[in-house]
Amino acid sequence: MTERIPGFNTLAIHAGAQPDPTTGARVTPIYQTTSFVFDDVDHAAALFGLQTFGNIYSRIGNPTNAVLEERIASLEGGTAGLAVASGHAAQVIVMHTLMRPGEEFVASRKLYGGSINQFNHAFKNFDWNVVWADPDDIGSFERAVSQKTKAIFIESIANPGGVVTDIEAIAGVAKRAGVPLIVDNTLATPYLCKPIDYGADIVVHSLTKFLGGHGNSIGGMIVDGGTFNWSREGRYPMLSEPRPEYNGMVLHETFGNFAFAIACRVLGLRDIGPALSPFNAFLILTGVETLPLRMQRHSENALAVAEWLVKHNKVAWVSYAGLSTDPYNKLAKKYCPKGAGAVMTFGLKGGYDAGVKLVSNVQLFSHLANIGDTRSLIIHPASTTHRQLTDAQKVQAGAGPEVVRLSVGLEDKDDIIADLEQALAVD
Ligand SMILES: Cc1ncc(COP(=O)(O)O)c(C=O)c1O
């Protein structure tokens, strides 16, 4: 009998999970413990020497987190996952595994603003240098690559929404340069887009958003695509050279196509320390069970809102790749055929004052700095997240005075639209 390959909905509920072997608990328990008792001295030695898999200490691994890791890796089509404390922590751990001081990575200019800050400022303290490229001009990635380049970083659907990146084309640049392509798949989630299918080598997530999906936990995930040859030319010494921390073990040689995830865990998470709380892993796992249903509804509601906004006389423009008239619609159809997600931006003809008025008058929408909740969320970046920038910088970051960002929730779409309608009607 051939073994059935489970579908995405089944994996979202079952991947990585078994009834608890001790109690029979059907839902993955919260293993709220710092440490795990060894069978004996030999078992402890084997665990510390990476000769056997198992639990030591929850900074390095935890059984609740392990279920989440296996589930997301399985949904993304990767070989292994590593759960960490936040999306930003995932980016630090990935880069720590790839980069040495003085080296570079190329990143798309169209990224979440917090990632732009992290790359421009925090990463400079490690002497990891970002070179920016324009996702609308694939040649700019090619030109940005140098001998010092160690990775390329893009978002599948870019926050603040609307922009879909041509993953396959940029994967081609990465292959020619001999570097891994890292895709932040937070806004799409593997339900809408699977970057590894298009040539990505590493996927990162802020679990805080749609994977958790309920606005209750911060978390991050790294997925190893298992696709990259870390030993070629010895450019990634963390993976291809003997590690003094592990008696000279060469991680790529020992762990093959999941060596990157292992390196992130045993050299990154172990030593830098941003571990995910098992309680958060539990909440996020519960969220992931309904991911397909939620992403479908998010995308349907967002499209209805975008189509309504386009026709509103106070709205100057709408940026949402799901709209058939949107410049990114063709890419959305290729990479996200089931829907373009929940997040969009639009511009108000009344500029800054109209933006402030709208966020002050919504009732169903929550005015806050997050995306990916069941609830509909709204923010006016120019008066909040981007207020410290100059006017020119705001415009360049897609946060001009008239811009409003929505993360459309799962409420009835008529209620969502009615709330925007009443708030826009206020004079
Ligand atoms: C696309 C994207 N990547 C990464 C992050 C950072 O994630 P976290 O807030 O979990 O650190 C965010 C947060 O908004 C995001 O939207």
Side-chain angles (χ1 to χ4, degrees):
M1 205 175 84
T2 51
E3 210 178 307
R4 270 188 71 77
I5 300 170
F8 192 94
N9 295 280
T10 307
L11 292 174
I13 296 168
H14 292 283
Q18 299 291 335
D20 182 59
T22 316
T23 61
R26 189 62 193 87
V27 173
T28 300
I30 306 168
Y31 288 95
Q32 193 66 32
T33 180
T34 55
S35 344
F36 302 84
V37 177
F38 307 121
D39 297 346
D40 53 36
V41 171
D42 290 342
H43 178 227
L47 284 169
F48 278 99
L50 301 182
Q51 276 111 21
T52 188
F53 291 108
N55 300 301
I56 301 177
Y57 186 65
S58 286
R59 169 155 44 76
I60 307 168
N62 173 282
T64 314
N65 298 17
V67 175
L68 181 62
E69 286 159 352
E70 196 173 330
R71 187 157 311 165
I72 305 296
S74 147
L75 293 176
E76 287 287 3
T79 53
L82 178 67
V84 294
S86 67
H88 265 15
Q91 294 169 188
V92 172
I93 298 288
V94 163
M95 290 306 179
H96 173 263
T97 307
L98 299 176
M99 310 275 294
R100 304 273 65 83
E103 293 180 337
E104 295 175 358
F105 65 102
V106 177
S108 164
R109 267 181 213 294
K110 298 271 172 66
L111 294 183
Y112 162 56
S115 297
I116 294 178
N117 268 332
Q118 186 189 46
F119 296 173
N120 271 337
H121 304 295
F123 279 13
K124 287 281 181 314
N125 290 333
F126 302 101
D127 201 11
W128 303 336
N129 300 300
V130 61
V131 182
W132 296 106
D134 178 359
D136 297 332
D137 171 13
I138 302 301
S140 71
F141 281 82
E142 209 95 52
R143 292 190 294 278
V145 166
S146 78
Q147 279 305 313
K148 292 185 190 162
T149 305
K150 286 306 190 71
I152 298 182
F153 187 103
I154 59 174
E155 287 177 7
S156 47
I157 300 179
N159 186 357
V163 176
V164 177
T165 312
D166 192 345
I167 302 171
E168 210 161 33
I170 298 172
V173 178
K175 290 228 158 33
R176 287 190 287 283
V179 302
L181 174 64
I182 307 161
V183 178
D184 180 340
N185 201 28
T186 297
L187 264 69
T189 80
Y191 178 74
L192 296 179
C193 175
K194 291 175 71 165
I196 295 169
D197 289 351
Y198 298 103
D201 301 292
I202 298 161
V203 174
V204 290
H205 279 285
S206 168
L207 301 172
T208 316
K209 317 298 176 193
F210 297 94
L211 283 165
H214 294 72
N216 57 25
S217 324
I218 303 277
M221 181 65 65
I222 300 162
V223 176
D224 185 346
T227 42
F228 196 79
N229 180 0
W230 301 107
S231 300
R232 212 185 69 180
E233 298 170 20
R235 297 183 69 205
Y236 299 93
M238 292 277 244
L239 290 127
S240 66
E241 284 181 11
R243 294 310 310 176
E245 304 94 322
Y246 291 102
N247 294 324
M249 181 183 273
V250 176
L251 295 181
H252 189 210
E253 210 172 85
T254 308
F255 296 107
N257 69 358
F258 57 99
F260 183 75
I262 295 277
C264 286
R265 184 189 301 281
V266 303
L267 303 176
L269 185 57
R270 187 196 69 163
D271 292 351
I272 296 175
L276 179 69
S277 144
F279 183 66
N280 281 15
F282 172 84
L283 291 171
I284 294 164
L285 268 171
T286 306
V288 172
E289 292 183 9
T290 55
L291 178 73
L293 295 171
R294 289 187 290 103
M295 291 315 290
Q296 214 173 319
R297 177 66 69 82
H298 275 301
S299 298
E300 280 165 22
N301 282 0
L303 182 58
V305 169
E307 283 172 343
W308 180 84
L309 281 170
V310 163
K311 294 190 213 120
H312 198 285
N313 63 4
K314 291 190 178 172
V315 172
W317 53 264
V318 178
S319 175
Y320 181 64
L323 288 171
S324 57
T325 48
D326 191 271
Y328 294 98
N329 188 250
K330 208 169 148 216
L331 288 172
K333 284 204 170 109
K334 171 173 176 177
Y335 292 110
C336 308
K338 287 187 279 199
V343 182
M344 70 183 74
T345 52
F346 62 96
L348 288 166
K349 289 179 188 160
Y352 187 94
D353 292 344
V356 169
K357 199 186 288 170
L358 175 61
V359 296
S360 309
N361 285 294
V362 286
Q363 291 165 2
L364 183 64
F365 273 83
S366 304
H367 177 209
L368 53 74
N370 193 24
I371 55 170
D373 196 321
T374 52
R375 285 153 272 263
S376 288
L377 313 175
I378 190 166
I379 197 156
H380 176 231
S383 61
T384 53
T385 48
H386 291 66
R387 65 176 303 138
Q388 79 284 4
L389 302 184
T390 63
D391 287 350
Q393 285 171 326
K394 283 189 187 112
V395 172
Q396 209 201 5
E402 83 289 14
V403 177
V404 174
R405 183 186 74 188
L406 301 182
S407 174
V408 177
L410 305 179
E411 303 95 337
D412 286 296
K413 61 173 176 272
D414 291 348
D415 293 333
I416 299 171
I417 291 171
D419 190 35
L420 292 171
E421 186 161 37
Q422 67 76 25
L424 284 167
V426 177
D427 272 329

